[in-house]
Amino acid sequence: NAEKSNTGIRYVVEQPGKGPLLAPGDMIMVNYTASLLSGKVFDRVNDKLHPLTFRVNRSEVIEGWDQILQLMRPGAKWLVIIPPELGYGRRGNPPRVPGYSTLVFEIEVLGIKKDG
């Protein structure tokens, strides 16, 4: 039952979240698990005290994340499948991610970090 974005990202909403959609420039906090289609996990952050923190749509993460996050809300938890062209592309991210890899992420948006 995956939905599909207009750029080919597939996603399943496991928890919708509440509040406004995340917007470009928002400083957000996320936990995630990243794996290949084979199920092999290549990266993970699962720490509510020290989550991954970055600005949305500022090229601080892969293009697929910048796109899909703008459809999410604080508190959301989604399973996201990102095609190679919106992930690491032809080069991959050696040695953990081969070229042309479709990526699978479990993304949980913990919240928007207020400046100051």
Side-chain angles (χ1 to χ4, degrees):
N1 349 341
E3 298 182 51
K4 188 175 182 180
S5 75
N6 58 0
T7 59
I9 299 170
R10 294 188 182 277
Y11 59 96
V12 176
V13 177
E14 297 174 343
Q15 192 172 293
K18 295 180 178 171
L21 291 173
L22 301 177
D26 281 348
M27 178 70 77
I28 65 167
M29 301 169 292
V30 302
N31 278 332
Y32 69 94
T33 300
S35 59
L36 303 174
L37 277 179
S38 67
K40 180 179 177 164
V41 173
F42 66 87
D43 197 13
R44 173 184 287 135
V45 171
N46 186 15
D47 186 340
K48 295 211 186 292
L49 294 177
H50 303 284
L52 176 65
T53 303
F54 62 95
R55 291 198 182 276
V56 175
N57 205 30
R58 295 293 189 262
S59 300
E60 295 178 21
V61 292
I62 60 173
E63 176 66 23
W65 269 47
D66 273 339
Q67 289 183 16
I68 204 68
L69 286 166
Q70 293 177 75
L71 301 177
M72 297 176 76
R73 301 174 192 282
K77 188 173 188 178
W78 289 16
L79 177 69
V80 180
I81 302 169
I82 297 179
E85 61 274 13
L86 298 175
Y88 295 111
R90 172 176 66 83
R91 292 184 48 205
N93 189 10
R96 299 175 303 160
V97 181
Y100 300 107
S101 291
T102 296
L103 307 174
V104 180
F105 293 94
E106 180 90 24
I107 302 173
E108 179 182 10
V109 180
L110 300 175
I112 298 172
K113 186 174 183 177
K114 302 299 179 201
D115 290 325

